Amino acid sequence: MGLLINTSVIRTHLEPAVSVVVHDKMGLPSSAMNFDITNACLGFVNGMGLAATMIDSGQVD
């Protein structure tokens, strides 16, 4: 997996980003990109759109 986007609204802490913790617990390689999008209800839709664009452009597998 080359990309992990966390789109949850609730954050248990501000730093590090939740995606960093999930990335670590999943044992993903350091080459996998990860970040959070916290955009209320649209976060999931924004995350899917961004992931699709990144895959289509060849930035991630």
Side-chain angles (χ1 to χ4, degrees):
M1 181 167 34
L3 176 66
L4 183 142
I5 303 174
N6 171 51
T7 61
S8 63
V9 175
I10 298 172
R11 301 171 109 189
T12 54
H13 46 80
L14 294 176
E15 294 296 334
V18 174
S19 61
V20 172
V21 176
V22 174
H23 183 275
D24 180 59
K25 291 192 183 279
M26 290 180 68
L28 297 177
S30 60
S31 60
M33 187 181 308
N34 69 75
F35 54 89
D36 291 1
I37 295 178
T38 53
N39 189 16
C41 297
L42 286 175
F44 183 76
V45 174
N46 294 150
M48 292 294 290
L50 183 57
T53 299
M54 293 176 79
I55 292 168
D56 287 346
S57 70
Q59 291 179 339
V60 295
D61 291 327

